[in-house]
Amino acid sequence: MRFIFAAFLLAGAAGPANATFLSTDPSTVCSYLTNSGLATRGWKNQYDNEFGCSSPYKDIGTGAPLANNLAFYVEGGPSEAKLVKLVLNINNKALAASAYAELLKAAQALSPKLTGKKLPSEISSAITNGKKASANAGVTQIEVMRIDWPTGKGHEVKVFFQE
């Protein structure tokens, strides 16, 4: 019986120490970029036991037929945010630099709120150049991915913060 109680205490003590986000409360995390023009529509059950929130796409500059745009997503369980991402669509390659700058600004605002740390320089550089990279902010894994569209007319750059 003492062994079970000790194991329970150790498991409980290890839980918060393993958390990589400063807060995993969905309403808190979903509100992190409201002041950056990326307010979400609130935490919702998307299907089965998968929950999340997302912002509408925010247009950056102009473009025909579409402007570059940025959105903010949070995914997780019923009461816990586990994955946070920014998604930038480059629809107008001529204005990609200003869109990358907007993505960088959002990631720099998000990182200290999620991790308590500044955005790592490797991630900042990857965003600025529309390239892929990964690094840690504390114990939170941050990854930048670039996906070139088969049409050759654009690409997307995603920044993931993984719990």
Side-chain angles (χ1 to χ4, degrees):
M1 181 65 149
R2 279 190 226 161
F3 174 75
I4 293 171
F5 181 70
F8 177 77
L9 283 177
L10 287 173
N18 289 336
T20 60
F21 293 161
L22 294 178
S23 174
T24 58
D25 174 63
S27 55
T28 300
V29 178
C30 289
S31 70
Y32 280 160
L33 293 180
T34 298
N35 292 338
S36 299
L38 294 168
T40 69
R41 301 172 195 124
W43 197 246
K44 297 184 180 358
N45 186 338
Q46 297 174 338
Y47 57 92
D48 292 335
N49 208 27
E50 299 293 322
F51 288 74
C53 64
S54 62
S55 71
Y57 275 94
K58 174 183 171 183
D59 284 347
I60 302 165
T62 59
L66 296 171
N68 297 328
N69 53 52
L70 176 64
F72 171 53
Y73 298 89
V74 182
E75 298 173 4
S79 60
E80 183 180 36
K82 296 180 180 179
L83 173 70
V84 177
K85 61 185 173 181
L86 295 164
V87 178
L88 175 70
N89 291 307
I90 299 296
N91 299 304
N92 183 341
K93 292 180 187 179
L95 299 176
S98 62
Y100 294 155
E102 194 70 24
L103 175 60
L104 178 60
K105 192 165 76 172
Q108 288 172 329
L110 190 55
S111 187
K113 292 175 182 179
L114 276 174
T115 70
K117 307 277 184 197
K118 285 177 52 174
L119 192 68
S121 60
E122 307 92 332
I123 299 299
S124 296
S125 178
I127 291 170
T128 300
N129 295 300
K131 304 284 184 189
K132 71 182 235 183
S134 64
N136 290 338
V139 293
T140 301
Q141 176 71 31
I142 305 172
E143 183 175 358
V144 179
M145 292 179 56
R146 177 182 168 138
I147 301 165
D148 290 300
W149 299 334
T151 62
K153 295 182 179 181
H155 60 274
E156 56 183 26
V157 178
K158 297 180 180 184
V159 181
F160 294 94
F161 293 81
Q162 185 74 42
E163 161 67 7

